[in-house]
Amino acid sequence: MATIELGLKVALRGFERIVLVGGNGFPAGVYLPVARRLKEAYRCDVQTVEVHDKYNGHGWTEMVDHVKSYVGSGTSNNTLLIGHSLGGSLSVAALRNGGKAAKLVVFDPPMFSPVTRMVLHVGRFLDAGPLQKIVRTTAKRRNQWDSRDEAIEYLSTRFPLHTFSPEVLYAFKHHGLKDNEDGSVSLMFTPETEAGIFHDTPTEIDPFWRRPHYSTVGLYPSRSPIPDKMRSQHGVYYYSLKNEFAKRHDLQWTANTHPYMRFEPCASHFSILEEPEGTVNVLYDHMSI
């Protein structure tokens, strides 16, 4: 699927463009209301990047490479890279693997301490635990309706879309669903794809194990000191106070290993889709400091 691009090239506060990478289960077009707010605030080009169609069923590598292709690897890169949930983790991994951005902003990415990764890894092997519960629940999600209106009526009463703003629900209606040959509609990307992405959440613990099938994408730092290139990751890390993926001990570990990031709370894991305008206003203020 093509990347959605919104116009214009006037840099404000040093950014020539913004690259926005969304969460698992939410196609790029669902973030258009957020992109519009970002364009209004920063007066620069905003690109929302689709990653679901890069998932090949065997880890996150191609999705990370896709994000990296948008930020590039040059030394003079005035890009603000923003990632929500899955998109946050992909953005961190893209920069850790040579991508460049002027600043990085992530909203509640699934990043875990070594202890949590070990628990998730064992749980995946045993087909048990919190991650596998999410995988099973996601795979069973309903995926066919008679019309887009029926789909939105159904989805808007269920987690997590029940708290999304009207403009985001409208964007989901037009960009999160697809028409089928029999006249019905279904999700743009299948629940199986979403479940597979959850299943392949990176759990490598360097140097103890690195399983390619579980996506050794360099999301996490090794035991060696954080290299200077990681200074490109300075920016803001928003952690959720509700519906969070990572718990407080995971957050503390992430803060210790990403000293160039500023950590700020946000109301919910889905704040960026629940309150696009308010979230962008808060981000704009934080980036001004």
Side-chain angles (χ1 to χ4, degrees), residues 85-116:
S85 192
L86 167 69
S89 294
L90 297 178
S91 297
V92 170
L95 296 188
R96 193 173 289 283
N97 285 274
K100 300 293 183 182
K103 284 198 175 183
L104 170 69
V105 173
V106 293
F107 288 89
D108 209 31
M111 295 176 63
F112 307 105
S113 69
V115 171
T116 299

Side-chain angles (χ1 to χ4, degrees), residues 142 144-156 161 172 177 185-186:
R142 180 177 173 181
Q144 189 169 11
W145 297 269
D146 290 337
S147 67
R148 290 175 185 264
D149 287 336
E150 181 191 21
I152 290 300
E153 181 179 359
Y154 173 87
L155 293 168
S156 64
L161 273 72
F172 195 98
L177 302 168
V185 299
S186 58

Side-chain angles (χ1 to χ4, degrees), residues 185-214:
V185 299
S186 58
L187 297 171
M188 182 64 68
F189 298 102
T190 67
E192 290 76 17
T193 295
E194 185 180 350
I197 291 172
F198 279 129
H199 179 271
D200 285 352
T201 297
T203 55
E204 69 264 25
I205 301 179
D206 183 76
F208 298 106
W209 64 60
R210 285 183 172 273
R211 296 283 300 279
H213 179 66
Y214 295 134

